[in-house]
Amino acid sequence: MTPVLAVDLGGTNMRVAVVDDDGTILDRAHEPTPHGAPTIDLFVDLLVDMRERHDVSHGVVGLPGRVDQQDGLLLHAPNLPAGWADQVTRERLEGALGLPVALANDADLAAVGEAYFGAGREHRDVSYVTISTGVGAGVLVGGRLLLPRFSGGEIGHTVIDRGAAARGAEATVEGLGSGTAIARLAAAAGLEASGAELIRIVEAGDPRAVGVWDEAMRVIGIAIANLVQVVGSTCVVVGGGVGRNGELVLTPIRTALEELGPEGPPPTVVTAALGDDPGLIGGAAWRRAASTSPSSGPHPSGAAP
């Protein structure tokens, strides 16, 4: 089959790749996201340059915000340059590329990548949760992506502390368990460390750092237990800059699922396998995952149809 033009537009980088049907990246390019640019012209130029070098069948564009699947619009994307959300439309990109284009929420696209080609490929009911600057999720049931008109999976914006919400304080999963929240909690605890350095002192057993980490991971664990109660996943794949920290993340999630998850066998909880590329690789299977055909999803053998 003809390869796909897959795109990951983020607040930090604009990335584009040509991806074969089996998830192999054949070519790629990236540029920093230009926050001073008032238009998306540089973004479009990056895509057009890649498209002109390859024969591709269609494009899939992963976006950091809520997407209107019906009308091909980006409804809200606070991490993109000002004014870009209104300009990133299916109509604009199809006109520039001369290809059919699908817009996708970035967590949904990453979920497809991990479910078809990554850590969730042995399962048909997969939740992908990304823990980074923010917290998001994508869900596949029976190998098909849960894809309402207005993209969902926004577990980061769900309220987890009703008392804090009543006081007008941080109350959401993202506000209490994301990388941003961890940095804020660390500073409040008198720690100057953040990012990789904070992880290092957590692993070294620093009591304040461990306390901050445990508090944030408890929030994440409860959020994932709630998600699994709703969608019944047999596999939870955890990604993102914070999420890819091995047992520091997986163990508290498993504990929360044992305490608060559904009765019966707990879901498998694993670290994402595709590094920074699940969204790009997911472009190869987007049409299959978004299909209404029950046979369109990955199979327990690990081989996508």
Side-chain angles (χ1 to χ4, degrees), residues 199-233:
I199 297 297
R200 187 190 68 77
I201 64 174
V202 169
E203 291 176 329
D206 179 283
R208 291 178 298 170
V210 170
V212 166
W213 186 263
D214 287 350
E215 182 178 348
M217 289 303 105
R218 181 61 176 169
V219 168
I220 295 297
I222 293 171
I224 290 176
N226 288 342
L227 178 63
V228 173
Q229 286 280 17
V230 173
V231 300
S233 302

PDB file of all heavy atoms in Angstrom, residues 199-233:
ATOM      1  N   ILE A 199      13.668  13.109  39.144  1.00  0.00           N
ATOM      2  CA  ILE A 199      13.567  11.654  39.064  1.00  0.00           C
ATOM      3  C   ILE A 199      14.759  11.004  39.764  1.00  0.00           C
ATOM      4  O   ILE A 199      14.622  10.015  40.497  1.00  0.00           O
ATOM      5  CB  ILE A 199      13.490  11.188  37.601  1.00  0.00           C
ATOM      6  CG1 ILE A 199      12.224  11.714  36.917  1.00  0.00           C
ATOM      7  CG2 ILE A 199      13.543   9.664  37.510  1.00  0.00           C
ATOM      8  CD1 ILE A 199      10.932  11.221  37.514  1.00  0.00           C
ATOM      9  N   ARG A 200      15.943  11.564  39.555  1.00  0.00           N
ATOM     10  CA  ARG A 200      17.159  10.996  40.155  1.00  0.00           C
ATOM     11  C   ARG A 200      17.074  10.998  41.672  1.00  0.00           C
ATOM     12  O   ARG A 200      17.394  10.003  42.319  1.00  0.00           O
ATOM     13  CB  ARG A 200      18.395  11.784  39.712  1.00  0.00           C
ATOM     14  CG  ARG A 200      19.721  11.154  40.155  1.00  0.00           C
ATOM     15  CD  ARG A 200      20.900  12.068  39.916  1.00  0.00           C
ATOM     16  NE  ARG A 200      20.861  13.239  40.775  1.00  0.00           N
ATOM     17  CZ  ARG A 200      21.196  13.229  42.073  1.00  0.00           C
ATOM     18  NH1 ARG A 200      21.568  12.099  42.671  1.00  0.00           N
ATOM     19  NH2 ARG A 200      21.124  14.340  42.782  1.00  0.00           N
ATOM     20  N   ILE A 201      16.594  12.102  42.257  1.00  0.00           N
ATOM     21  CA  ILE A 201      16.558  12.138  43.719  1.00  0.00           C
ATOM     22  C   ILE A 201      15.373  11.348  44.273  1.00  0.00           C
ATOM     23  O   ILE A 201      15.415  10.886  45.414  1.00  0.00           O
ATOM     24  CB  ILE A 201      16.605  13.580  44.276  1.00  0.00           C
ATOM     25  CG1 ILE A 201      15.374  14.393  43.862  1.00  0.00           C
ATOM     26  CG2 ILE A 201      17.884  14.281  43.841  1.00  0.00           C
ATOM     27  CD1 ILE A 201      15.334  15.775  44.517  1.00  0.00           C
ATOM     28  N   VAL A 202      14.326  11.176  43.463  1.00  0.00           N
ATOM     29  CA  VAL A 202      13.257  10.256  43.872  1.00  0.00           C
ATOM     30  C   VAL A 202      13.827   8.849  43.969  1.00  0.00           C
ATOM     31  O   VAL A 202      13.617   8.129  44.958  1.00  0.00           O
ATOM     32  CB  VAL A 202      12.076  10.302  42.885  1.00  0.00           C
ATOM     33  CG1 VAL A 202      11.094   9.159  43.167  1.00  0.00           C
ATOM     34  CG2 VAL A 202      11.349  11.637  42.966  1.00  0.00           C
ATOM     35  N   GLU A 203      14.566   8.445  42.936  1.00  0.00           N
ATOM     36  CA  GLU A 203      15.162   7.111  42.919  1.00  0.00           C
ATOM     37  C   GLU A 203      16.184   6.938  44.046  1.00  0.00           C
ATOM     38  O   GLU A 203      16.372   5.830  44.569  1.00  0.00           O
ATOM     39  CB  GLU A 203      15.829   6.854  41.573  1.00  0.00           C
ATOM     40  CG  GLU A 203      14.833   6.727  40.430  1.00  0.00           C
ATOM     41  CD  GLU A 203      15.497   6.575  39.079  1.00  0.00           C
ATOM     42  OE1 GLU A 203      16.615   7.116  38.886  1.00  0.00           O
ATOM     43  OE2 GLU A 203      14.897   5.923  38.198  1.00  0.00           O
ATOM     44  N   ALA A 204      16.821   8.047  44.451  1.00  0.00           N
ATOM     45  CA  ALA A 204      17.794   7.991  45.543  1.00  0.00           C
ATOM     46  C   ALA A 204      17.134   7.960  46.913  1.00  0.00           C
ATOM     47  O   ALA A 204      17.807   7.762  47.930  1.00  0.00           O
ATOM     48  CB  ALA A 204      18.755   9.177  45.457  1.00  0.00           C
ATOM     49  N   GLY A 205      15.799   8.186  46.947  1.00  0.00           N
ATOM     50  CA  GLY A 205      15.067   8.082  48.201  1.00  0.00           C
ATOM     51  C   GLY A 205      14.941   9.358  48.989  1.00  0.00           C
ATOM     52  O   GLY A 205      14.579   9.322  50.176  1.00  0.00           O
ATOM     53  N   ASP A 206      15.193  10.524  48.383  1.00  0.00           N
ATOM     54  CA  ASP A 206      15.005  11.792  49.090  1.00  0.00           C
ATOM     55  C   ASP A 206      13.557  11.882  49.579  1.00  0.00           C
ATOM     56  O   ASP A 206      12.619  11.793  48.774  1.00  0.00           O
ATOM     57  CB  ASP A 206      15.316  12.955  48.151  1.00  0.00           C
ATOM     58  CG  ASP A 206      15.124  14.306  48.821  1.00  0.00           C
ATOM     59  OD1 ASP A 206      13.966  14.732  48.960  1.00  0.00           O
ATOM     60  OD2 ASP A 206      16.134  14.930  49.186  1.00  0.00           O
ATOM     61  N   PRO A 207      13.333  12.053  50.888  1.00  0.00           N
ATOM     62  CA  PRO A 207      11.967  11.977  51.429  1.00  0.00           C
ATOM     63  C   PRO A 207      11.014  13.005  50.828  1.00  0.00           C
ATOM     64  O   PRO A 207       9.846  12.685  50.553  1.00  0.00           O
ATOM     65  CB  PRO A 207      12.158  12.213  52.930  1.00  0.00           C
ATOM     66  CG  PRO A 207      13.586  11.868  53.202  1.00  0.00           C
ATOM     67  CD  PRO A 207      14.335  12.213  51.956  1.00  0.00           C
ATOM     68  N   ARG A 208      11.479  14.232  50.645  1.00  0.00           N
ATOM     69  CA  ARG A 208      10.590  15.258  50.081  1.00  0.00           C
ATOM     70  C   ARG A 208      10.246  14.931  48.630  1.00  0.00           C
ATOM     71  O   ARG A 208       9.084  15.058  48.214  1.00  0.00           O
ATOM     72  CB  ARG A 208      11.245  16.631  50.169  1.00  0.00           C
ATOM     73  CG  ARG A 208      11.385  17.166  51.594  1.00  0.00           C
ATOM     74  CD  ARG A 208      12.084  18.507  51.580  1.00  0.00           C
ATOM     75  NE  ARG A 208      13.440  18.404  51.030  1.00  0.00           N
ATOM     76  CZ  ARG A 208      14.217  19.441  50.723  1.00  0.00           C
ATOM     77  NH1 ARG A 208      13.761  20.671  50.907  1.00  0.00           N
ATOM     78  NH2 ARG A 208      15.435  19.266  50.245  1.00  0.00           N
ATOM     79  N   ALA A 209      11.242  14.506  47.874  1.00  0.00           N
ATOM     80  CA  ALA A 209      10.995  14.167  46.473  1.00  0.00           C
ATOM     81  C   ALA A 209      10.065  12.966  46.357  1.00  0.00           C
ATOM     82  O   ALA A 209       9.153  12.943  45.517  1.00  0.00           O
ATOM     83  CB  ALA A 209      12.316  13.889  45.766  1.00  0.00           C
ATOM     84  N   VAL A 210      10.291  11.964  47.189  1.00  0.00           N
ATOM     85  CA  VAL A 210       9.424  10.778  47.175  1.00  0.00           C
ATOM     86  C   VAL A 210       7.991  11.162  47.533  1.00  0.00           C
ATOM     87  O   VAL A 210       7.022  10.670  46.933  1.00  0.00           O
ATOM     88  CB  VAL A 210       9.968   9.704  48.134  1.00  0.00           C
ATOM     89  CG1 VAL A 210       8.945   8.574  48.312  1.00  0.00           C
ATOM     90  CG2 VAL A 210      11.289   9.143  47.611  1.00  0.00           C
ATOM     91  N   GLY A 211       7.829  12.064  48.491  1.00  0.00           N
ATOM     92  CA  GLY A 211       6.492  12.500  48.878  1.00  0.00           C
ATOM     93  C   GLY A 211       5.765  13.196  47.743  1.00  0.00           C
ATOM     94  O   GLY A 211       4.568  12.944  47.496  1.00  0.00           O
ATOM     95  N   VAL A 212       6.474  14.072  47.041  1.00  0.00           N
ATOM     96  CA  VAL A 212       5.893  14.766  45.887  1.00  0.00           C
ATOM     97  C   VAL A 212       5.492  13.760  44.814  1.00  0.00           C
ATOM     98  O   VAL A 212       4.387  13.802  44.274  1.00  0.00           O
ATOM     99  CB  VAL A 212       6.898  15.789  45.323  1.00  0.00           C
ATOM    100  CG1 VAL A 212       6.470  16.262  43.937  1.00  0.00           C
ATOM    101  CG2 VAL A 212       7.033  16.973  46.270  1.00  0.00           C
ATOM    102  N   TRP A 213       6.411  12.855  44.513  1.00  0.00           N
ATOM    103  CA  TRP A 213       6.159  11.861  43.459  1.00  0.00           C
ATOM    104  C   TRP A 213       4.975  10.969  43.813  1.00  0.00           C
ATOM    105  O   TRP A 213       4.086  10.749  42.980  1.00  0.00           O
ATOM    106  CB  TRP A 213       7.410  11.024  43.235  1.00  0.00           C
ATOM    107  CG  TRP A 213       7.291  10.082  42.083  1.00  0.00           C
ATOM    108  CD1 TRP A 213       6.966   8.762  42.118  1.00  0.00           C
ATOM    109  CD2 TRP A 213       7.459  10.415  40.698  1.00  0.00           C
ATOM    110  NE1 TRP A 213       6.942   8.244  40.847  1.00  0.00           N
ATOM    111  CE2 TRP A 213       7.233   9.229  39.963  1.00  0.00           C
ATOM    112  CE3 TRP A 213       7.789  11.599  40.024  1.00  0.00           C
ATOM    113  CZ2 TRP A 213       7.320   9.209  38.572  1.00  0.00           C
ATOM    114  CZ3 TRP A 213       7.873  11.568  38.635  1.00  0.00           C
ATOM    115  CH2 TRP A 213       7.645  10.384  37.927  1.00  0.00           C
ATOM    116  N   ASP A 214       4.953  10.478  45.046  1.00  0.00           N
ATOM    117  CA  ASP A 214       3.865   9.586  45.458  1.00  0.00           C
ATOM    118  C   ASP A 214       2.513  10.283  45.385  1.00  0.00           C
ATOM    119  O   ASP A 214       1.509   9.676  44.989  1.00  0.00           O
ATOM    120  CB  ASP A 214       4.111   9.074  46.881  1.00  0.00           C
ATOM    121  CG  ASP A 214       5.231   8.044  46.947  1.00  0.00           C
ATOM    122  OD1 ASP A 214       5.684   7.583  45.885  1.00  0.00           O
ATOM    123  OD2 ASP A 214       5.654   7.715  48.077  1.00  0.00           O
ATOM    124  N   GLU A 215       2.485  11.562  45.763  1.00  0.00           N
ATOM    125  CA  GLU A 215       1.228  12.316  45.721  1.00  0.00           C
ATOM    126  C   GLU A 215       0.714  12.425  44.282  1.00  0.00           C
ATOM    127  O   GLU A 215      -0.474  12.201  44.007  1.00  0.00           O
ATOM    128  CB  GLU A 215       1.450  13.712  46.308  1.00  0.00           C
ATOM    129  CG  GLU A 215       0.200  14.573  46.354  1.00  0.00           C
ATOM    130  CD  GLU A 215       0.437  15.928  46.990  1.00  0.00           C
ATOM    131  OE1 GLU A 215       1.502  16.134  47.608  1.00  0.00           O
ATOM    132  OE2 GLU A 215      -0.452  16.804  46.859  1.00  0.00           O
ATOM    133  N   ALA A 216       1.614  12.770  43.362  1.00  0.00           N
ATOM    134  CA  ALA A 216       1.208  12.918  41.958  1.00  0.00           C
ATOM    135  C   ALA A 216       0.813  11.582  41.355  1.00  0.00           C
ATOM    136  O   ALA A 216      -0.185  11.478  40.622  1.00  0.00           O
ATOM    137  CB  ALA A 216       2.342  13.557  41.161  1.00  0.00           C
ATOM    138  N   MET A 217       1.584  10.528  41.646  1.00  0.00           N
ATOM    139  CA  MET A 217       1.279   9.227  41.054  1.00  0.00           C
ATOM    140  C   MET A 217      -0.001   8.625  41.621  1.00  0.00           C
ATOM    141  O   MET A 217      -0.682   7.841  40.950  1.00  0.00           O
ATOM    142  CB  MET A 217       2.454   8.274  41.245  1.00  0.00           C
ATOM    143  CG  MET A 217       3.672   8.614  40.398  1.00  0.00           C
ATOM    144  SD  MET A 217       3.331   8.693  38.603  1.00  0.00           S
ATOM    145  CE  MET A 217       3.337  10.485  38.338  1.00  0.00           C
ATOM    146  N   ARG A 218      -0.347   8.971  42.852  1.00  0.00           N
ATOM    147  CA  ARG A 218      -1.631   8.513  43.392  1.00  0.00           C
ATOM    148  C   ARG A 218      -2.777   9.114  42.581  1.00  0.00           C
ATOM    149  O   ARG A 218      -3.754   8.425  42.269  1.00  0.00           O
ATOM    150  CB  ARG A 218      -1.759   8.903  44.871  1.00  0.00           C
ATOM    151  CG  ARG A 218      -3.060   8.433  45.530  1.00  0.00           C
ATOM    152  CD  ARG A 218      -3.185   6.927  45.516  1.00  0.00           C
ATOM    153  NE  ARG A 218      -4.376   6.475  46.230  1.00  0.00           N
ATOM    154  CZ  ARG A 218      -4.843   5.242  46.205  1.00  0.00           C
ATOM    155  NH1 ARG A 218      -4.224   4.309  45.496  1.00  0.00           N
ATOM    156  NH2 ARG A 218      -5.918   4.915  46.883  1.00  0.00           N
ATOM    157  N   VAL A 219      -2.639  10.378  42.224  1.00  0.00           N
ATOM    158  CA  VAL A 219      -3.648  11.020  41.377  1.00  0.00           C
ATOM    159  C   VAL A 219      -3.760  10.300  40.039  1.00  0.00           C
ATOM    160  O   VAL A 219      -4.865   9.987  39.565  1.00  0.00           O
ATOM    161  CB  VAL A 219      -3.288  12.508  41.166  1.00  0.00           C
ATOM    162  CG1 VAL A 219      -4.151  13.127  40.059  1.00  0.00           C
ATOM    163  CG2 VAL A 219      -3.448  13.286  42.460  1.00  0.00           C
ATOM    164  N   ILE A 220      -2.614  10.028  39.419  1.00  0.00           N
ATOM    165  CA  ILE A 220      -2.611   9.345  38.131  1.00  0.00           C
ATOM    166  C   ILE A 220      -3.221   7.949  38.253  1.00  0.00           C
ATOM    167  O   ILE A 220      -4.017   7.519  37.402  1.00  0.00           O
ATOM    168  CB  ILE A 220      -1.178   9.248  37.574  1.00  0.00           C
ATOM    169  CG1 ILE A 220      -0.621  10.646  37.262  1.00  0.00           C
ATOM    170  CG2 ILE A 220      -1.133   8.347  36.351  1.00  0.00           C
ATOM    171  CD1 ILE A 220      -1.366  11.398  36.186  1.00  0.00           C
ATOM    172  N   GLY A 221      -2.868   7.235  39.313  1.00  0.00           N
ATOM    173  CA  GLY A 221      -3.401   5.888  39.506  1.00  0.00           C
ATOM    174  C   GLY A 221      -4.911   5.886  39.640  1.00  0.00           C
ATOM    175  O   GLY A 221      -5.606   5.043  39.040  1.00  0.00           O
ATOM    176  N   ILE A 222      -5.450   6.812  40.416  1.00  0.00           N
ATOM    177  CA  ILE A 222      -6.901   6.897  40.584  1.00  0.00           C
ATOM    178  C   ILE A 222      -7.565   7.236  39.250  1.00  0.00           C
ATOM    179  O   ILE A 222      -8.599   6.660  38.877  1.00  0.00           O
ATOM    180  CB  ILE A 222      -7.265   7.941  41.657  1.00  0.00           C
ATOM    181  CG1 ILE A 222      -6.798   7.467  43.033  1.00  0.00           C
ATOM    182  CG2 ILE A 222      -8.760   8.214  41.664  1.00  0.00           C
ATOM    183  CD1 ILE A 222      -6.907   8.525  44.112  1.00  0.00           C
ATOM    184  N   ALA A 223      -6.963   8.165  38.509  1.00  0.00           N
ATOM    185  CA  ALA A 223      -7.535   8.560  37.218  1.00  0.00           C
ATOM    186  C   ALA A 223      -7.594   7.379  36.264  1.00  0.00           C
ATOM    187  O   ALA A 223      -8.593   7.173  35.551  1.00  0.00           O
ATOM    188  CB  ALA A 223      -6.708   9.689  36.615  1.00  0.00           C
ATOM    189  N   ILE A 224      -6.537   6.580  36.224  1.00  0.00           N
ATOM    190  CA  ILE A 224      -6.513   5.436  35.317  1.00  0.00           C
ATOM    191  C   ILE A 224      -7.478   4.350  35.785  1.00  0.00           C
ATOM    192  O   ILE A 224      -8.150   3.706  34.966  1.00  0.00           O
ATOM    193  CB  ILE A 224      -5.076   4.913  35.164  1.00  0.00           C
ATOM    194  CG1 ILE A 224      -4.256   5.943  34.369  1.00  0.00           C
ATOM    195  CG2 ILE A 224      -5.044   3.547  34.482  1.00  0.00           C
ATOM    196  CD1 ILE A 224      -2.800   5.598  34.222  1.00  0.00           C
ATOM    197  N   ALA A 225      -7.591   4.150  37.086  1.00  0.00           N
ATOM    198  CA  ALA A 225      -8.586   3.199  37.595  1.00  0.00           C
ATOM    199  C   ALA A 225      -9.992   3.630  37.189  1.00  0.00           C
ATOM    200  O   ALA A 225     -10.820   2.798  36.777  1.00  0.00           O
ATOM    201  CB  ALA A 225      -8.477   3.081  39.113  1.00  0.00           C
ATOM    202  N   ASN A 226     -10.280   4.918  37.278  1.00  0.00           N
ATOM    203  CA  ASN A 226     -11.586   5.426  36.844  1.00  0.00           C
ATOM    204  C   ASN A 226     -11.799   5.177  35.361  1.00  0.00           C
ATOM    205  O   ASN A 226     -12.889   4.761  34.929  1.00  0.00           O
ATOM    206  CB  ASN A 226     -11.684   6.926  37.128  1.00  0.00           C
ATOM    207  CG  ASN A 226     -11.824   7.249  38.606  1.00  0.00           C
ATOM    208  OD1 ASN A 226     -12.177   6.396  39.400  1.00  0.00           O
ATOM    209  ND2 ASN A 226     -11.539   8.491  38.968  1.00  0.00           N
ATOM    210  N   LEU A 227     -10.768   5.440  34.556  1.00  0.00           N
ATOM    211  CA  LEU A 227     -10.874   5.244  33.118  1.00  0.00           C
ATOM    212  C   LEU A 227     -11.162   3.782  32.783  1.00  0.00           C
ATOM    213  O   LEU A 227     -12.041   3.483  31.970  1.00  0.00           O
ATOM    214  CB  LEU A 227      -9.570   5.698  32.444  1.00  0.00           C
ATOM    215  CG  LEU A 227      -9.472   5.523  30.926  1.00  0.00           C
ATOM    216  CD1 LEU A 227     -10.514   6.374  30.216  1.00  0.00           C
ATOM    217  CD2 LEU A 227      -8.069   5.870  30.431  1.00  0.00           C
ATOM    218  N   VAL A 228     -10.440   2.870  33.436  1.00  0.00           N
ATOM    219  CA  VAL A 228     -10.630   1.445  33.151  1.00  0.00           C
ATOM    220  C   VAL A 228     -12.008   0.979  33.614  1.00  0.00           C
ATOM    221  O   VAL A 228     -12.629   0.119  32.969  1.00  0.00           O
ATOM    222  CB  VAL A 228      -9.500   0.615  33.795  1.00  0.00           C
ATOM    223  CG1 VAL A 228      -9.769  -0.877  33.669  1.00  0.00           C
ATOM    224  CG2 VAL A 228      -8.158   0.960  33.140  1.00  0.00           C
ATOM    225  N   GLN A 229     -12.514   1.539  34.696  1.00  0.00           N
ATOM    226  CA  GLN A 229     -13.879   1.203  35.124  1.00  0.00           C
ATOM    227  C   GLN A 229     -14.890   1.548  34.035  1.00  0.00           C
ATOM    228  O   GLN A 229     -15.876   0.832  33.832  1.00  0.00           O
ATOM    229  CB  GLN A 229     -14.243   1.970  36.402  1.00  0.00           C
ATOM    230  CG  GLN A 229     -13.582   1.468  37.668  1.00  0.00           C
ATOM    231  CD  GLN A 229     -14.278   0.239  38.262  1.00  0.00           C
ATOM    232  OE1 GLN A 229     -15.058  -0.430  37.600  1.00  0.00           O
ATOM    233  NE2 GLN A 229     -13.974  -0.067  39.505  1.00  0.00           N
ATOM    234  N   VAL A 230     -14.626   2.627  33.314  1.00  0.00           N
ATOM    235  CA  VAL A 230     -15.573   3.084  32.286  1.00  0.00           C
ATOM    236  C   VAL A 230     -15.423   2.304  30.984  1.00  0.00           C
ATOM    237  O   VAL A 230     -16.429   1.884  30.383  1.00  0.00           O
ATOM    238  CB  VAL A 230     -15.385   4.598  32.025  1.00  0.00           C
ATOM    239  CG1 VAL A 230     -16.250   5.057  30.843  1.00  0.00           C
ATOM    240  CG2 VAL A 230     -15.736   5.400  33.272  1.00  0.00           C
ATOM    241  N   VAL A 231     -14.185   2.085  30.532  1.00  0.00           N
ATOM    242  CA  VAL A 231     -13.992   1.536  29.186  1.00  0.00           C
ATOM    243  C   VAL A 231     -13.549   0.076  29.159  1.00  0.00           C
ATOM    244  O   VAL A 231     -13.518  -0.544  28.099  1.00  0.00           O
ATOM    245  CB  VAL A 231     -13.002   2.397  28.371  1.00  0.00           C
ATOM    246  CG1 VAL A 231     -13.526   3.812  28.227  1.00  0.00           C
ATOM    247  CG2 VAL A 231     -11.608   2.392  28.982  1.00  0.00           C
ATOM    248  N   GLY A 232     -13.164  -0.495  30.316  1.00  0.00           N
ATOM    249  CA  GLY A 232     -12.875  -1.918  30.395  1.00  0.00           C
ATOM    250  C   GLY A 232     -11.620  -2.380  29.692  1.00  0.00           C
ATOM    251  O   GLY A 232     -11.566  -3.511  29.193  1.00  0.00           O
ATOM    252  N   SER A 233     -10.600  -1.548  29.642  1.00  0.00           N
ATOM    253  CA  SER A 233      -9.365  -1.916  28.934  1.00  0.00           C
ATOM    254  C   SER A 233      -8.696  -3.124  29.568  1.00  0.00           C
ATOM    255  O   SER A 233      -8.668  -3.276  30.791  1.00  0.00           O
ATOM    256  CB  SER A 233      -8.384  -0.737  28.941  1.00  0.00           C
ATOM    257  OG  SER A 233      -8.961   0.400  28.356  1.00  0.00           O
TER     258      SER A 233
END
